[in-house]
């Protein structure tokens, strides 16, 4: 006897009945009801990401339509018997009335013309002649146009089954002629249970955590997951009894340990720059892709935010992971979580494009470390409303003095200290470029001695200030702002109906400010 060639798990465990098709209950229910009520469409479009069962579903529909039952007297059914000649021939891919075409390699009008000519002839031995077109979006525009008329009014003995991963590339004229089914991604817990069943059938032992890692890496695709499982079984240490472990799987896929990622995220939140760099170096030594580390941190931020909202827990999460997410969701605000997400997302893009991904990852995560130690925006807004802002200290640094929240408040502080000339020049001659105490940049209208100003500010606030003069767009001076405010108030007053009436009756009336009146009386 010759040895049978090995069949990969993705082919060996391809579903042969709708009961074996996991994660698509809504579609199965719809098809079952359509068959029972004899309301079958003449064309079906199956769409979804790779590996969710589009081609398998198309073959199952072909079986369901042509099954004759074990006694040869059956009709269309959602539960094909699998033992009649049509079921066996369709499963083996040799039924003459079930034609499969790969549109990726048959894209032209001539290929479609063969279908158009073939539909005129009745099925040879089956109830329906079924055309399965995989990756239908690859057909050319002319090929689609040639198929339209036949697709709209096919003979009653013909059924079309189209499968595609990119439904947006299928013309609307084709979509309107088909009954569409969107096959869903398979949830991680469902995939994990499915892989565990296959391991039992293959007499392979696997750690639950390893199966959970495979389910996450599969991203909802059964075929991707089975391919990874196949590789993991081959990678398993034979000296250990062939056990598929999470440690071996991480080494095989270059995945980062979830626990290590949680520890790294904790270091980020503590502002421990040295600890963060050491953790990143450890991941690099283990062969983990820097981009994968950033993706893992993004997943943690996303999971924490979802947990804070109150969404149900992911069944694939461990108890330790759930406890950590609960703690972070309680202690972190939405504003900080969104800020961390944006910074990590930007860092991930930088790592993907960088010539040295490791260096880019270090800089990106250190930037996040700095952001995580900044005050909460809501607290900062409250401080600004009160007229003061606290300089952001580093972790474990001594307390910093209170600094003026605005440039105008800083000028008032200088004036209160008796430095009237400098305060007047700051008010009349300086446009503010930016202000972030203890640092700011100005654009003076005439030469300004920033060293003298720095000494004054150090005396007044007790802090060393960084002052720069820049030829950049700046705000109007404080004096110009005051004059503009007075002009706006004057215009608003003149626009009042009572004031306008007064000017109409008393043409010689003048509108003067309180300060002008006080100066006149003095």
């Amino acid at each position: 006897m010759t040895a049978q060639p090995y069949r990969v798990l993705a082919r060996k465990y391809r579903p042969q009945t709708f009961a074996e098709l996991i994660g698509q209950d809504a579609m199965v229910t719809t098809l079952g009801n359509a068959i029972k009520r004899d309301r079958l469409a003449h064309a079906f479009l199956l769409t979804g990401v790779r590996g969710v069962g589009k081609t398998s579903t198309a073959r199952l529909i072909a079986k369901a339509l042509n099954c004759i039952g074990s006694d040869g007297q059956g009709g269309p059914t959602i539960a094909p018997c699998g033992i009649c000649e049509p079921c066996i021939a369709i499963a083996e891919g040799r039924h003459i009335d079930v034609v499969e075409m790969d549109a990726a390699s048959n894209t032209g009008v001539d290929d479609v013309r063969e279908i158009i000519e073939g539909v005129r002839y009745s099925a040879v031995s089956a109830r329906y002649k079924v055309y399965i077109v995989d990756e239908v979006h690859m057909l050319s525009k002319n090929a689609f146009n040639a198929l339209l008329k036949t697709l709209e009014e096919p003979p009653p003995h013909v059924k079309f089954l189209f499968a595609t991963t990119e439904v947006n590339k299928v013309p609307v004229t084709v979509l309107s002629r088909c009954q569409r089914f969107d096959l869903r991604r398979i949830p991680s817990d469902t995939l994990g249970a499915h892989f565990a069943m296959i391991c039992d059938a293959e007499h392979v032992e696997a750690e639950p955590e390893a199966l959970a890692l495979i389910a996450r890496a599969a991203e909802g695709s059964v075929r991707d997951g089975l391919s990874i499982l196949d590789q993991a079984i081959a990678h398993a240490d034979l000296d250990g009894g062939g056990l598929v472990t999470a440690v071996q799987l991480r080494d095989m896929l270059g995945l980062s340990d979830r626990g290590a990622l949680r520890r790294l995220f904790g270091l980020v939140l503590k502002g421990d720059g040295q600890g963060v760099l050491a953790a990143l170096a450890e991941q690099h030594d283990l062969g983990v892709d820097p981009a994968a580390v950033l993706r893992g941190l993004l997943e943690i931020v996303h999971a924490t935010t979802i947990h804070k909202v109150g969404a149900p827990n992911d069944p694939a999460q461990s108890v330790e992971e759930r406890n950590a997410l609960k703690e972070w969701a309680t202690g972190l605000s939405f504003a900080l979580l969104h800020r961390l997400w944006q910074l990590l997302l930007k860092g991930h893009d930088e790592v993907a494009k960088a010539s040295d991904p490791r260096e880019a990852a270090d800089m990106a995560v250190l930037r996040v470390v700095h952001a995580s130690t900044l005050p909460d925006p809501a607290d900062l807004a409250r401080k600004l409303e009160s007229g003061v802002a606290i300089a952001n200290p580093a972790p474990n640094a001594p307390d910093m003095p209170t600094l003026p929240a605005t440039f105008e408040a800083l000028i008032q502080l200088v004036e209160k200290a008796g430095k009237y000339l400098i305060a007047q020049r700051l008010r009349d001659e300086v446009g503010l470029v930016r202000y972030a105490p203890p640092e700011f940049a100005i654009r003076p209208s005439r030469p300004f001695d920033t060293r003298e100003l720095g000494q004054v500010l150090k005396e007044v606030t007790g802090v060393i200030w960084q002052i720069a003069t820049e030829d950049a767009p700046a705000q109007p001076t404080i004096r110009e702002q005051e004059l503009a405010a007075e002009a706006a108030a004057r215009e608003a007053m003149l626009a009042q109906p009572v004031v306008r009436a007064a000017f109409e009756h008393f043409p010689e009336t003048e509108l003067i400010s309180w300060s002008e009146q006080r100066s006149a009386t003095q």
Side-chain angles (χ1 to χ4, degrees), residues 137-423:
H137 67 274
M138 300 289 285
L139 289 178
S140 66
K141 181 179 180 181
N142 291 336
F144 273 123
N145 291 335
L147 186 61
L148 286 180
K149 187 62 178 177
T150 303
L151 185 60
E152 184 174 11
E153 297 179 359
H157 61 272
V158 173
K159 300 292 182 185
F160 289 101
L161 301 174
F162 299 143
T164 178
T165 53
E166 299 185 50
V167 69
N168 58 300
K169 294 184 179 180
V170 179
V172 177
T173 50
V174 174
L175 294 176
S176 64
R177 290 167 168 81
C178 300
Q179 191 172 99
R180 174 174 168 175
F181 290 102
D182 290 85
L183 276 65
R184 303 173 56 187
R185 291 180 183 268
I186 315 301
S188 296
D189 55 337
T190 304
L191 280 177
H194 183 62
F195 298 154
M197 179 194 68
I198 291 176
C199 286
D200 291 339
E202 292 290 312
H203 306 291
V204 172
E205 294 187 12
E207 294 178 350
E209 186 180 357
L211 296 180
L213 286 174
I214 295 174
R216 287 196 190 99
E219 297 182 342
S221 170
V222 181
R223 184 174 63 240
D224 285 10
L226 289 178
S227 298
I228 297 173
L229 179 59
D230 231 337
Q231 184 179 356
I233 294 173
H235 184 78
D237 187 2
L238 294 178
D239 296 336
L243 175 67
V244 178
T245 66
V247 174
Q248 292 173 340
L249 194 65
R250 291 191 185 96
D251 291 340
M252 183 187 80
L253 297 178
L255 295 175
S256 180
D257 182 5
R258 305 284 293 186
L261 280 176
R262 291 196 296 272
R263 290 191 294 273
L264 173 59
F265 188 65
L267 292 171
V268 169
L269 295 180
K270 292 179 181 177
D272 186 354
Q274 293 183 352
V276 164
L277 290 177
L280 289 172
E282 180 182 356
Q283 294 299 303
H284 181 268
D285 293 340
L286 291 173
V288 180
D289 183 13
V293 176
L294 271 295
R295 282 197 300 272
L297 293 174
L298 280 167
E299 290 176 2
I300 291 177
V301 174
H302 174 264
T304 303
T305 308
I306 296 301
H307 191 91
K308 189 175 182 66
V309 172
N313 291 323
D314 183 353
Q317 292 173 348
S318 64
V319 176
E320 295 79 8
E321 189 170 2
R322 292 181 187 177
N323 291 337
L325 293 177
K326 181 179 179 180
E327 180 181 352
W328 290 327
T330 303
L332 301 177
S333 66
F334 281 116
L336 180 56
L337 287 170
H338 293 318
R339 190 193 317 164
L340 292 174
W341 172 265
Q342 293 296 331
L343 289 169
L344 287 170
L345 192 62
K346 185 175 186 297
H348 180 271
D349 293 341
E350 292 175 355
V351 171
K353 299 175 183 177
S355 57
D356 191 331
R358 181 186 178 184
E359 291 181 355
D362 289 346
M363 296 302 294
V365 179
L366 285 176
R367 185 166 63 228
V368 179
V369 169
H370 174 70
S372 68
T373 62
L374 292 176
D376 185 270
D379 294 339
L380 186 58
R382 286 192 290 270
K383 289 186 174 80
L384 289 172
E385 289 177 359
S386 64
V388 296
I390 306 301
N392 179 57
N396 303 321
D399 292 338
M400 296 286 288
T402 301
L403 301 177
T406 65
F407 187 56
E408 186 173 5
L410 179 67
I411 296 175
Q412 292 174 358
L413 194 63
V414 172
E415 195 171 21
K416 289 180 181 178
K419 309 295 182 178
Y420 302 109
L421 180 58
I422 291 180

